[in-house]
Amino acid sequence: MTVPVWRRASFLASAALVGAGGLGIETLLVSSAGLSMGYGRSGAIGISVWIAGWAIGAFLGGRARRTPRLGWLATGVACAAGAWLAGLILLRVAPSIASASGATALGCAAILLVALVHGPFLPWLARAWDPGRGGARDVSLLFAANLAGSVAGATWIGFDVPAAFGRSTAIVVGGAATLAGAVLAMLAAQPSPVGAARFEVDPERAPSAPLGPLAPGAAGVALGLATAWASGVEWIGLRLGTLWLDGMQPALSAVLAASLLALALGAVIVPLVVPRDRRGVGWVLALAALGTLWFFLSPGLLRGIDGRAHPLGFALALLGVPLMPLGAVVPVLHRAVAGESGRRLGDLVLHEVWGAGLGVVLVHHVVVPAFGLGGALATLCLFGVGAALTLWPARRLALSAATVALGCGAWAARADEPALAAPALDNPAFQRLAFVEDADFAVSVVDDGLRGERTLLTDTFRATAVGDDYLYMRALGHLPLLLHPCPKRTGVLAFGTGTTAGAVSLHPEVERIDVMELSRAVCDQAHFFEEVNHRVLEDVRTAVHFGDGRRTLGESLDAFDVVTMEPLLPDSPFAVYLYTPEFYACVRAALAPGGLLCQWVPPHALEPETFDVVVDAFARSFGWSGVFVFGTQVLLVGAELEPVLDAARFDASGALGAALAELGLDTPSGVFARYVTSGARWPVSERALSDADPWIVYRPRRRGALLLTDLPLNLRRLRTLETEPPVAWRPVAGTQGWKKLETLRLVRRAREAFCAWDAARRGIQLPADATLAGFDEYLDALGANGGGEGVADGEVRRFAREVGFVRALSGGFGALAGGHDGMALDELTRAASLRPERAQVHLLVALAAWRTSNPRVARAAAGRAYQLCPRLLETPQGARALDQGLPPELLPEAL
């Protein structure tokens, strides 16, 4: 009996809706799981548990002899209700459990149960596709529809809905999508005939006699290994996507959607072009092995795609070739095995239980840290070898597919590390000193010739460096210790270069320093930054805790006198949970009576709405909170009671005294002057930030010169909220404190005006502010116009030097462009004197000197530029200098 077209169309729509709901719910639950399982491991564990639960559910669904009409509805209701309950458990219940193992077990159970009730739908749909003939012979269309729907789930339910309405609402929407798919299938399905478990072979498409159907056990092993392979490829794709797309958040959604699209396309296209018997399985495995090499061959082609402008297109170009063959594995294995359609599909996918755990967990936690991404890809090809050998009764086929997979694995093992081909790491301005991949990050230490500083990169994020721009990291260590009467035990969350922990180590009253760092690879690079970290990891007072810092704090009741922290940016997927009221409640419990928390907030890197809500979350979480500014960076201090500003705490000498004097914190007046306002005055945000609604991570990423507006607008917000420091502090700070306060507030106004000027010269106009004068007027008032030479205050001097450098550099650029080469040489020489560590400036001096017929100066400046940045001519700045007339032989000649 022919099944009407409308029924099959309904089944495809049902598969898509169930896929959308399931993947959307999976995305939301796994991203919430870090609260209970700890970040760094929650992603791999959560994904593995979901796939395992789904596979068990599919197996049970396939084993059921019949699918009652009300069974569809009941399962859909269970999916919707279970998703809501699991969200409640992961967001509210599990994080409150003190035991890490207990919280992890409860979180896993919640994810497992929701995945379990999603599992039966595909086998049931395969059975309902053609109930009179034992179900669908070929599940390619159903499988592809399910994956295509999953793309919508990942992008819409997993991202757009929580951005607009919150994560809890998005989970409800995901449950509703699954329920809608179940109702649609129930209305379209015919009752399954009792005993309809016979697989009818189409004589025109029967497998050749020597091969015959594939044994179910062998097919299951092949699918388990292929699942490990595919999940490992997806995980590696996420790591590479993070490097190419400039961050975890854009990579997460783009790579997930691209992976599902590639698998869906593969499920539809590849089964059409490979044989229908077990030979098709061998072909698919060989194609998948060859596709793995794309990760090594594609960087040259992918450089032409602007990944940040087109993240989904880039991710599809990166992952399409490796994943399309793997998308065909289930349909091809399904049609190569005999039996009733729903049952054989359920029996097959049961093996995804161990396959997913083997692929995600092994690759994430073992193979990548040991061998890097290239070694992990080689290891995945070995899974292909094992899968090919399951075809052994067809010896020639098995050996051929296994040989291709083994050869591709050997090639991958000897090839260059693919992560290093990402533009952010293959930057010609960088001299790479170290590169290590662990379970959490690709960690690099580079000497940046253009910026003139040693830098620590976690993936592509410039986590920290040495130089004046990072002096606030030292203040992050000193400020809370100076405000505490006796800080014996201090916690430092996020190690980075160790600058903050090194500052803490200078205080002799500190008896213990607890460093909390997610990545072991980050701490392993500490020896490159001994100048700022003072070898703090070798200090007998230091204890290092690897793993999720939030979980570590949650297990430390009344332990710390001070906690100071500089995690990743608040709008990154995992770090956001270190900026929520629930996290601050955890910190309060970890602080001893009278304890203080100090946290960094970057006004230059957050759009104003995000900046406001982050500060608001902190301010509402403590009985007393203060907002301080050091340079351009905001340091928040929170406590139950207002801390005491005690002059005795500033009686320091030796290394500590020198360090405090360099920062202007050697007297109470230095702390007093950097106070901006009380947290109690901070405006309450319309949409609060919380664990259940971390909405700032879903905001669209901005690019280009628009980012220059963040700092001046956030400085304006700080200016409008300025208040006088606490009354009790005023006698201690004295007259000197008020003078410094006035000086630093003038500096902030000057900086705000300067940022507005800088944005304007790049074509971006900020909203007018009649109360703000020009930055020259503020510099005149500070006595710092002309570069700040002779100005006593270090912060004024550093700002004046920055202004002088930018003006000289921009003036030199303009003069070069206008053909005024002599004027350009004067301006650029001044810029080089202000920032001698910048290779680009010396290159421009060389260009101006050459154009003014001064070869001696040109060679000297070119030599200095080349010493600072040996690959300078490969950078955009070097290419621009060549276009403007710099002889390319000048740099080698200068040496």
Side-chain angles (χ1 to χ4, degrees):
M1 182 178 67
T2 303
V3 179
V5 173
W6 72 267
R7 288 188 188 276
R8 290 189 171 174
S10 298
F11 294 144
L12 291 175
S14 173
L17 282 168
V18 170
L23 208 286
I25 291 169
E26 177 190 359
T27 302
L28 294 162
L29 295 184
V30 171
S31 62
S32 303
L35 294 169
S36 53
M37 300 181 192
Y39 285 101
R41 60 177 186 153
S42 59
I45 293 175
I47 291 171
S48 300
V49 169
W50 177 276
I51 295 175
W54 182 88
I56 294 170
F59 170 75
L60 296 175
R63 286 280 168 164
R65 292 183 60 81
R66 301 185 63 186
T67 308
R69 292 178 69 87
L70 289 180
W72 297 96
L73 180 62
T75 306
V77 170
C79 288
W84 176 83
L85 181 61
L88 182 66
I89 290 172
L90 288 169
L91 292 172
R92 306 286 186 190
V93 180
S96 65
I97 297 177
S99 166
S101 57
T104 299
L106 183 59
C108 288
I111 294 173
L112 182 72
L113 291 175
V114 181
L116 189 71
V117 290
H118 274 83
F121 284 108
L122 266 186
W124 288 356
L125 287 167
R127 177 177 296 145
W129 187 264
D130 194 351
R133 303 183 67 184
R137 292 187 191 86
D138 193 331
V139 296
S140 299
L141 289 177
L142 282 172
F143 194 63
N146 185 258
L147 289 169
S150 298
V151 176
T155 55
W156 183 58
I157 298 174
F159 194 89
D160 294 338
V161 177
F165 304 106
R167 189 169 284 174
S168 299
T169 301
I171 290 174
V172 172
V173 171
T178 303
L179 179 58
V183 170
L184 184 60
M186 179 187 70
L187 296 175
Q190 297 173 304
S192 302
V194 177
R198 184 170 55 89
F199 172 58
E200 298 184 6
V201 178
D202 188 334
E204 297 181 2
R205 296 179 176 178
S208 57
L211 297 179
L214 188 61
V221 172
L223 181 57
L225 291 170
T227 299
W229 194 354
S231 58
V233 167
E234 289 184 69
W235 193 265
I236 290 170
L238 177 60
R239 293 292 295 265
L240 289 174
T242 300
L243 298 174
W244 280 83
L245 299 177
D246 201 20
M248 175 63 78
Q249 184 57 39
L252 271 175
S253 54
V255 168
L256 183 56
S259 298
L260 295 167
L261 276 174
L263 292 170
L265 289 171
V268 172
I269 296 171
V270 177
L272 298 177
V273 299
V274 300
R276 296 184 62 83
D277 55 21
R278 72 174 66 189
R279 289 174 300 172
V281 179
W283 282 40
V284 165
L285 295 174
L287 288 172
L290 292 170
T292 301
L293 303 184
W294 177 251
F295 285 120
F296 301 94
L297 302 174
S298 61
L301 300 174
L302 295 179
R303 285 183 183 276
I305 302 176
D306 185 352
R308 292 181 296 177
H310 309 285
L312 180 57
F314 176 86
L316 191 58
L318 177 68
L319 289 164
V321 173
L323 282 178
M324 279 182 63
L326 292 166
V329 170
V330 170
V332 169
L333 281 171
H334 176 267
R335 72 187 185 189
V337 177
E340 186 267 333
S341 182
R343 176 164 181 167
R344 58 192 155 111
L345 181 58
D347 288 354
L348 274 175
V349 298
L350 178 64
H351 291 270
E352 292 189 358
V353 173
W354 58 269
L358 181 64
V360 177
V361 177
L362 183 67
V363 168
H364 181 205
H365 291 289
V366 180
V367 181
V368 169
F371 304 111
L373 296 184
L377 288 167
T379 302
L380 293 177
C381 287
L382 296 180
F383 293 159
V385 173
L389 293 178
T390 64
L391 307 173
W392 185 254
R395 200 170 291 181
R396 186 183 213 172
L397 174 67
L399 288 176
S400 298
T403 300
V404 172
L406 188 61
C408 291
W411 195 92
R414 296 177 61 86
D416 293 335
E417 172 58 51
L420 294 176
L425 299 183
D426 189 28
N427 186 337
F430 291 168
Q431 296 182 62
R432 189 183 309 113
L433 305 179
F435 176 77
V436 181
E437 293 171 281
D438 67 3
D440 303 295
F441 301 112
V443 178
S444 309
V445 179
V446 300
D447 281 338
D448 185 341
L450 288 181
R451 295 173 65 99
E453 58 191 23
R454 181 163 293 181
T455 301
L456 176 73
L457 300 172
T458 53
D459 293 330
T460 61
F461 179 64
R462 193 179 286 265
T464 182
V466 297
D468 286 353
D469 291 343
Y470 300 91
L471 288 175
Y472 74 90
M473 294 181 179
R474 305 181 193 183
L476 194 62
H478 294 302
L479 176 63
L481 295 181
L482 294 172
L483 288 174
H484 193 284
C486 187
K488 293 185 176 181
R489 184 173 179 184
T490 299
V492 180
L493 194 156
F495 183 74
T497 57
T499 302
T500 300
V504 170
S505 71
L506 296 177
H507 290 256
E509 68 273 23
V510 174
E511 297 176 356
R512 176 169 168 137
I513 305 168
D514 289 85
V515 172
M516 291 161 269
E517 172 57 54
L518 182 63
S519 170
R520 187 179 297 272
V522 167
C523 288
D524 287 345
Q525 313 314 314
H527 61 283
F528 288 108
F529 302 96
E530 291 180 354
E531 175 188 349
V532 292
N533 64 39
H534 309 295
R535 305 176 72 173
V536 63
L537 294 183
E538 300 174 21
D539 194 313
V540 295
R541 299 173 295 170
T542 300
V544 182
H545 310 270
F546 292 109
D548 183 5
R550 176 165 170 163
R551 171 59 65 181
T552 302
L553 287 171
E555 297 170 350
S556 308
L557 298 179
D558 296 330
F560 299 104
D561 298 307
V562 167
V563 173
T564 185
M565 54 187 292
E566 185 195 4
L568 296 177
L569 295 176
D571 54 357
S572 57
F574 304 140
V576 66
Y577 300 107
L578 300 177
Y579 294 87
T580 62
E582 293 87 350
F583 168 70
Y584 297 131
C586 175
V587 176
R588 289 199 309 271
L591 289 173
L596 299 171
L597 170 66
C598 186
Q599 183 169 35
W600 164 77
V601 177
H604 70 288
L606 300 177
E607 55 187 302
E609 190 176 3
T610 301
F611 178 71
D612 281 353
V613 75
V614 167
V615 178
D616 176 44
F618 186 97
R620 305 287 162 244
S621 299
F622 293 93
W624 178 91
S625 59
V627 181
F628 297 78
V629 172
F630 192 93
T632 62
Q633 302 302 293
V634 169
L635 306 183
L636 303 176
V637 177
E640 288 309 303
L641 299 173
E642 179 183 292
V644 175
L645 187 64
D646 183 0
R649 296 287 297 119
F650 296 82
D651 185 17
S653 59
L656 175 59
L660 294 177
E662 182 183 4
L663 300 173
L665 296 176
D666 52 330
T667 64
S669 61
V671 172
F672 184 86
R674 286 168 173 81
Y675 180 90
V676 176
T677 190
S678 165
R681 290 204 65 215
W682 203 265
V684 177
S685 301
E686 290 185 18
R687 184 175 178 182
L689 186 65
S690 68
D691 284 352
D693 187 17
W695 57 271
I696 60 175
V697 303
Y698 298 106
R699 294 179 68 86
R701 295 283 167 170
R702 299 160 307 134
R703 303 175 58 211
L706 185 62
L707 300 175
L708 294 174
T709 65
D710 290 342
L711 181 57
L713 291 177
N714 290 329
L715 288 176
R716 179 179 300 183
R717 167 66 88 182
L718 292 167
R719 174 166 55 87
T720 60
L721 294 172
E722 283 178 350
T723 57
E724 294 183 349
V727 174
W729 294 7
R730 298 173 191 175
V732 182
T735 305
Q736 187 185 29
W738 289 107
K739 288 181 178 179
K740 283 191 175 181
L741 179 70
E742 181 182 359
T743 295
L744 293 185
R745 290 189 173 179
L746 280 175
V747 171
R748 288 200 296 276
R749 282 159 175 73
R751 192 180 294 279
E752 181 185 343
F754 177 69
C755 290
W757 170 82
D758 194 32
R761 75 183 180 91
R762 298 168 190 258
I764 296 177
Q765 294 296 327
L766 296 174
D769 185 346
T771 65
L772 193 66
F775 65 90
D776 272 320
E777 296 180 39
Y778 292 116
L779 286 173
D780 287 339
L782 292 165
N785 228 329
E789 291 86 349
V791 176
D793 189 281
E795 191 155 333
V796 177
R797 190 168 58 251
R798 286 189 290 270
F799 173 63
R801 188 179 67 166
E802 177 188 348
V803 171
F805 171 75
V806 172
R807 296 175 91 171
L809 184 61
S810 62
F813 268 128
L816 278 175
H820 306 293
D821 299 330
M823 182 186 302
L825 182 59
D826 291 341
E827 291 286 351
L828 293 169
T829 301
R830 173 167 170 72
S833 69
L834 291 170
R835 299 300 295 266
E837 73 278 8
R838 296 285 184 99
Q840 177 195 7
V841 184
H842 294 287
L843 187 68
L844 292 172
V845 171
L847 174 61
W850 186 265
R851 286 167 56 166
T852 55
S853 302
N854 195 338
R856 182 183 62 80
V857 173
R859 289 190 182 93
R864 179 59 179 153
Y866 198 78
Q867 288 173 349
L868 291 170
C869 186
R871 295 174 60 195
L872 181 58
L873 292 185
E874 300 175 42
T875 67
Q877 293 82 358
R880 191 179 305 119
L882 292 175
D883 290 341
Q884 291 178 311
L886 182 75
E889 67 275 8
L890 185 62
L891 288 182
E893 182 183 337
L895 296 180

